Amino acid sequence: MLQNKEFFIGKATDKLDFAVAKHVADTLNKHYAGFMWAVNASSETGMVQVRNLSLSGDWGFNLHMRRVQEDVSGKIIRDAGGEILERYRVKRGAINHDKVEELPTDFAGRIIVDKSGAQYA
């Protein structure tokens, strides 16, 4: 008789990467519902990359994976997500589609981001 067993193909770190990415995405979705967050975690680089695709995939943030894992409260994730929203002049919280549609755009229709204080403006 066959039993249901978990079967996983990939590197040993892939499961950890997926779990960390899911944790970050879940935290962002809890605090900033309705936004489309893209999250990638990599044990190889030790970094978690996050972008908000509802606003732009061009700007986001990188977090050290170890800091994310050690931060049980999710404050680092919450603060970084809120920072991205504020750079697009969006209030922290759930998405307001009407407000997002009213944001200023450049000649190509991209939402203009506030780059002041950004490391790579």
Side-chain angles (χ1 to χ4, degrees):
M1 175 168 26
L2 293 174
Q3 295 179 359
N4 273 340
K5 290 191 176 183
E6 186 176 320
F7 184 72
F8 187 78
I9 298 174
K11 298 180 293 189
T13 56
D14 288 349
K15 271 185 146 177
L16 172 63
D17 293 350
F18 179 80
V20 170
K22 183 176 182 333
H23 167 67
V24 171
D26 288 348
T27 301
L28 290 167
N29 285 319
K30 175 182 174 186
H31 295 283
Y32 310 117
F35 287 99
M36 189 172 18
W37 297 99
V39 181
N40 179 52
S42 171
S43 295
E44 287 183 29
T45 63
M47 299 299 290
V48 178
Q49 298 175 323
V50 179
R51 303 288 181 264
N52 185 316
L53 302 181
S54 299
L55 300 172
S56 168
D58 295 336
W59 289 87
F61 56 89
N62 296 328
L63 300 172
H64 291 277
M65 187 179 278
R66 180 158 315 279
R67 289 190 66 208
V68 169
Q69 292 171 307
E70 292 171 352
D71 180 30
V72 179
S73 70
K75 182 179 180 338
I76 292 170
I77 300 163
R78 190 174 58 250
D79 289 350
E83 171 77 15
I84 288 299
L85 297 179
E86 288 176 0
R87 287 195 179 270
Y88 282 96
R89 297 168 187 88
V90 174
K91 288 184 179 181
R92 293 178 184 231
I95 192 169
N96 179 332
H97 292 285
D98 293 333
K99 293 287 186 188
V100 170
E101 287 180 17
E102 294 172 0
L103 293 172
T105 58
D106 65 10
F107 68 94
R110 296 176 296 230
I111 298 171
I112 298 172
V113 64
D114 177 8
K115 298 178 187 174
S116 62
Q119 189 174 2
Y120 301 105

